[in-house]
Amino acid sequence: MQASGLIAEIQQLKTQKNALILAHSYQRPEIQDVADFVGDSLALARRAQQAQCDVIVFCGVHFMAETACILNPTRTVLLPDLDASCSLESSCPADELSAFLQENRQKNYYVIAYINCSIQVKALADVIVTSGNAQQIVQAAPADRPILFVPDENLGAWVAEKTGRRMTLWHGACHVHRLFTRDQIMQAKQQFPDAEVVCHPECREVVRLLADHICSTEKMIDYCRQSLAKRFIIVTENGILHRLRKLVPEKDFIPLRTGSCGCAECEFMKLNTLEKLRNCLRDMRPVISLPEDLRLRALAPLQRMLDLSC
Ligand code: 13P
Ligand code: SF4
């Protein structure tokens, strides 16, 4: 079926089912365009918590839909493709974290978990962060307890540097962001000497060192809009380019090429398609369902994050 036919069906089903479509900025352009709201992990979590509709269709990866369900359990939360996982989430299995905490219980770690983790890991954490609020949340951590930051060692190292808080870092990383290299950025800078480098904090330190600005996907939009520069080298997943070009049309955005597809793409994010979105609204599945005791344990650190971040 043509995209226009699918879009018309999605709009019709959305009204029929009283659904809200949320999409992350790494989603395919056509999904971003059909969504009611597009944002980063923090904005999406907030929007999901406030949702009054019967159904939330989450176009993103599994931990994001799970977070929506933790925060707003009386809505039906759908994820178009249940296989949309995340390499950061996989890099921190809950049983390994639990064993580590058990072995080191005398340290009494304050556990800070990046939102890119499973509900079981969230349930073991004291507080959650996103790339949009990590500095603020880490700054507010109790001064008399050692911090364990999971699962992203790159985001953790960046926040430690920004806040001056020492942290033990779990050795996890995003398979998309770890592929960016110093050489690629140097080459792009040579080709476009007037361009500023804007980079996601999931990138490695050698890459972050070359950035003019480091921030979450949402803050990239504000930064590029406000900066005096006219051209930007964007060091993150390529889905954000659609939003940047749409919201800041007067400026020029240069992607970096990595990975087997040569286009810095998160294959998990791209699993969602218009067809799967239509199917999930039509069939009302796959549904995210969570055991209530686990949901409540994961809700506490998530709510702490939302209360602490402005
Ligand atoms: P943001 O919250 O900055 O959108 O990051 C989410 C993510 O998965 C980055 O890889
Ligand atoms: Fe996870 Fe990386 Fe994909 Fe973001 S880009 S969802 S961190 S695998």
Side-chain angles (χ1 to χ4, degrees):
M1 188 189 268
Q2 294 257 318
S4 57
L6 279 171
I7 292 165
E9 245 191 282
I10 290 167
Q11 302 287 16
Q12 206 178 12
L13 284 162
K14 202 177 71 142
T15 313
Q16 212 176 46
K17 310 275 169 126
N18 187 24
L20 174 78
I21 302 176
L22 300 181
H24 187 265
S25 304
Y26 294 164
Q27 289 293 288
R28 296 170 184 273
E30 60 276 19
I31 294 212
Q32 294 190 32
D33 290 346
V34 85
D36 296 295
F37 182 83
V38 186
D40 67 356
S41 307
L42 180 59
L44 288 165
R46 285 208 176 104
R47 191 66 193 77
Q49 190 175 39
Q50 292 156 3
Q52 300 289 327
C53 54
D54 296 322
V55 178
I56 298 172
V57 189
F58 210 112
C59 298
V61 290
H62 187 271
F63 78 82
M64 295 178 174
E66 199 171 63
T67 301
C69 197
I70 297 169
L71 291 168
N72 200 342
T74 57
R75 318 290 145 183
T76 300
V77 179
L78 305 171
L79 176 65
D81 192 318
L82 265 191
D83 289 332
S85 60
C86 164
S87 52
L88 265 173
E89 174 178 348
S90 317
S91 66
C92 186
D95 54 348
E96 284 181 28
L97 173 60
S98 179
F100 179 87
L101 291 172
Q102 194 61 25
E103 278 160 32
N104 294 281
R105 58 184 175 282
Q106 76 292 351
K107 294 216 168 94
N108 190 25
Y109 277 122
Y110 186 77
V111 181
I112 303 186
Y114 185 29
I115 199 163
N116 296 39
C117 65
S118 67
I119 185 170
Q120 289 83 0
V121 167
K122 287 185 177 76
L124 290 169
D126 290 289
V127 70
I128 307 298
V129 300
T130 74
S131 57
N133 62 18
Q135 290 186 44
Q136 203 179 0
I137 306 285
V138 168
Q139 217 116 42
D144 58 346
R145 285 181 63 189
I147 299 173
L148 173 67
F149 189 93
V150 302
D152 188 357
E153 62 182 354
N154 294 310
L155 176 71
W158 175 67
V159 183
E161 179 195 304
K162 287 281 168 195
T163 59
R165 294 296 302 263
R166 280 171 58 110
M167 305 198 288
T168 300
L169 305 178
W170 192 267
H171 294 303
C174 161
H175 74 296
V176 178
H177 288 86
R178 74 167 9 150
L179 290 183
F180 293 114
T181 66
R182 226 180 134 73
D183 281 356
Q184 283 172 323
I185 297 175
M186 297 295 272
Q187 271 172 26
K189 273 166 79 104
Q190 231 165 20
Q191 204 180 342
F192 304 101
D194 59 325
E196 284 193 347
V197 177
V198 182
C199 165
H200 196 275
E202 286 176 18
C203 294
R204 294 172 305 135
E205 187 185 14
V206 285
V207 166
R208 294 197 308 272
L209 283 171
L210 293 176
D212 293 290
H213 193 67
I214 302 169
C215 60
S216 75
T217 52
E218 200 63 31
K219 289 184 180 165
M220 282 184 187
I221 295 162
D222 300 334
Y223 180 79
C224 294
R225 196 181 265 139
Q226 283 159 20
S227 165
L228 294 177
K230 296 272 177 279
R231 213 195 284 264
F232 302 87
I233 297 161
I234 300 297
V235 194
T236 191
E237 208 270 359
N238 72 3
I240 191 70
L241 293 158
H242 177 66
R243 257 189 108 198
L244 284 165
R245 288 174 180 149
K246 203 166 153 178
L247 298 176
V248 197
E250 67 283 11
K251 298 197 177 176
D252 198 13
F253 300 98
I254 299 136
L256 287 182
R257 314 211 164 272
T258 61
S260 50
C261 66
C263 56
E265 209 167 77
C266 173
E267 64 272 36
F268 301 123
M269 283 282 181
K270 298 313 197 246
L271 279 177
N272 298 319
T273 60
L274 277 183
E275 198 166 4
K276 289 182 200 168
L277 172 54
R278 186 271 317 266
N279 294 351
C280 91
L281 263 170
R282 183 192 60 201
D283 307 336
M284 293 295 281
R285 65 187 166 83
V287 176
I288 304 290
S289 70
L290 308 171
E292 185 59 6
D293 60 331
L294 182 60
R295 185 190 76 80
L296 289 173
R297 279 186 282 132
L299 176 63
L302 259 174
Q303 192 57 54
R304 190 164 297 131
M305 167 189 88
L306 292 171
D307 295 343
L308 282 169
S309 57
C310 42

